[in-house]
Amino acid sequence: MYHQLSKVTGRLVAASHLQSPLFPVAPIALQRVEPPTIQYNTSHLSTVAEACPAPGKRSLVPGTNVPYPPVSEKIRQQQQQFQKEDDVPVFLKGGPLDGILYRLTMALCIAGLLGVGHTIYIHAVPKK
């Protein structure tokens, strides 16, 4: 038994007449629709310079009339410290505590690798 879409209800019903087995539902031609045009709304796109204005200059949050909150002097000093070109990796620019944490992390990684190697050795070499 073949089925087709009812033109009245839009539901699947038994076919009232014999149809070809390859096409149980009559094909419906697609309607041509023009694709929508892309609109680039540049008012919501901003650059880093616009998002972080100069100290005396205040800009608005995109899409609102609310100005950005002022950035504290401590944060400005940290930005200058981390953006300074002094050939020091960024993970060490925080001072001596960053160096200690980096070395501790490297020591724990090496200890973990040694533990993995030891476990593989224990399971690979049988006891005598």
Side-chain angles (χ1 to χ4, degrees):
M1 175 181 263
Y2 299 112
H3 294 84
Q4 68 182 16
L5 290 175
S6 170
K7 295 185 189 251
V8 177
T9 62
R11 294 182 180 209
L12 198 60
V13 294
S16 58
H17 59 283
L18 185 62
Q19 293 179 340
S20 169
L22 296 178
F23 300 101
V25 177
I28 300 171
L30 294 176
Q31 296 177 359
R32 298 270 180 195
V33 178
E34 292 296 322
T37 59
I38 298 174
Q39 297 177 355
Y40 296 102
N41 189 354
T42 57
S43 66
H44 296 299
L45 303 175
S46 64
T47 61
V48 175
E50 293 171 356
C52 300
K57 186 180 176 188
R58 304 259 322 238
S59 66
L60 300 177
V61 175
T64 66
N65 289 331
V66 179
Y68 282 104
V71 179
S72 69
E73 188 59 35
K74 180 180 177 184
I75 292 177
R76 287 211 182 271
Q77 289 174 355
Q78 286 182 343
Q79 287 176 343
Q80 289 175 354
Q81 175 185 354
F82 281 93
Q83 292 174 356
K84 184 171 47 173
E85 288 288 335
D86 54 0
D87 294 334
V88 176
V90 71
F91 54 87
L92 295 176
K93 284 192 176 189
L97 181 61
D98 278 355
I100 293 169
L101 290 175
Y102 172 72
R103 287 178 182 85
L104 177 66
T105 303
M106 288 297 111
L108 289 173
C109 288
I110 291 170
L113 285 174
L114 290 175
V116 168
H118 176 32
T119 302
I120 291 173
Y121 177 77
I122 293 294
H123 289 289
V125 177
K127 291 182 181 179
K128 292 185 178 180

